Amino acid sequence: MISIPHKAKQFLVLLIKLLIVGGAFYFIYNQLAHNDQLDWQKFIVLFRKNQSVLGIGFILLLSVLNRYFEILKWQNLAKVIHEISLGEATKQVLAALTAGIFTPNGVGEYAGKALYYSKSDAKKVIFLNLICNGIQMILTVIFGVFGLLYFNAKYEIITTQTVAVLFGGFVLLLVVLFSVKKIKIKGYSIEKLVHKINEIPKSVHRKNIVLGILRYLVFSHQYYFLFLAFDVDLPYFTLIATIAVVYFLASSLPTFQFLDFAVKGSVAIYFFGILGVNEWIVVFISTLMWFLNVVLPVVIGAYYVLNFKTKTAE
């Protein structure tokens, strides 16, 4: 086995760090600077009209709470391996977010967190991160389905028969999955997965679900309050249901973190267009949500990436 000199290894680690951080900032700049749909003049006019220190502070607070609940979720799940402080959980979550920003569906996030643990715990870390993200996805689907049913009842974008067929297909899929739960693919099966999930204490699962619900309510209402700030006057349940639909459908599409706002924006344009909301307002709000909840945490995460030390280097 070829051994890499210590100095060369340090240089390689530094190069990887710079590539991760440089790549993250390049993609952020590229999306903000070269997006033809963003009319900055309109934004500045509306911002000056509605600017409020309390309003801006409230929106920023929601961004902090959004990421705070995610950090608490990870701290809660990580104690299955060993207890970590809130500061350590913050470091791991933000550094992993930065590492995953330009990977498909944020898969780099899994590797980013695993680097903070010993190699023997790597599989467990990846599994716990899957549980952490999985509950958020399940909640997005649940709220999204109810939102879609509510939206469809009011605007009938698809027929009742189509809804019934889709629901029947979903139930059939669940039945098939659980009927073949013993079938193994590369040594893994649904039965084995359920068993591994059950090994985690119920108290950890309960806390994970509560924190996931709180996080969902925070970012969906941040979206809601931004629409209010942009003078969009729609009934509360209509707006919240549409937001739930957008998150549900956008999250179902494979994408990169740095393209997250573009995917959500394109889905949002269609649904909010039905409600008569101006396209540029939808694009701006989607971009602001991405900036507040992805870009700002990535900027902080870049600091943790650059200060990361490998186990061997310590």
Side-chain angles (χ1 to χ4, degrees), residues 83-214:
E83 295 275 357
I84 59 172
S85 67
L86 184 63
E88 182 61 28
T90 301
K91 183 198 302 182
Q92 292 177 17
V93 168
L94 296 183
L97 180 69
T98 304
I101 192 171
F102 50 86
T103 57
N105 282 39
V107 293
E109 180 189 334
Y110 292 80
K113 281 179 183 170
L115 287 171
Y116 283 94
Y117 295 82
S118 61
K119 285 184 180 178
S120 59
D121 288 326
K123 284 186 178 179
K124 196 176 285 185
V125 172
I126 290 169
F127 175 71
L128 289 173
N129 200 49
L130 187 65
I131 297 293
C132 188
N133 292 339
I135 190 62
Q136 209 64 57
M137 187 63 196
I138 289 168
L139 290 168
T140 300
V141 171
I142 292 169
F143 283 112
V145 167
F146 280 111
L148 192 56
L149 290 172
Y150 180 88
F151 189 92
N152 197 61
K154 290 195 75 173
Y155 299 97
E156 203 171 339
I157 52 171
I158 53 175
T159 63
T160 308
Q161 290 84 350
T162 307
V163 172
V165 169
L166 290 171
F167 184 74
F170 179 69
V171 172
L172 181 64
L173 179 64
L174 287 177
V175 171
V176 171
L177 282 173
F178 280 96
S179 64
V180 297
K181 63 181 181 180
K182 289 189 177 180
I183 294 177
K184 293 184 177 181
I185 301 172
K186 293 185 177 181
Y188 293 94
S189 66
I190 292 174
E191 190 176 45
K192 190 175 179 181
L193 177 64
V194 171
H195 179 69
K196 283 183 73 68
I197 291 171
N198 288 334
E199 285 178 354
I200 299 171
K202 285 185 172 62
S203 59
V204 172
H205 284 305
R206 280 195 295 268
K207 191 173 181 181
N208 190 35
I209 292 168
V210 170
L211 290 169
I213 291 171
L214 289 172

Side-chain angles (χ1 to χ4, degrees), residues 147 150-151 154-155 220-221 223-229 231-247 272 275 277 285:
Y150 180 88
F151 189 92
K154 290 195 75 173
Y155 299 97
S220 60
H221 280 80
Y223 215 141
Y224 170 78
F225 287 120
L226 280 171
F227 273 109
L228 293 187
D231 296 330
V232 173
D233 185 22
L234 288 167
Y236 172 78
F237 284 110
T238 300
L239 205 47
I240 284 293
T242 311
I243 290 165
V245 171
V246 168
Y247 270 98
F272 283 106
L275 301 179
V277 181
I285 290 174

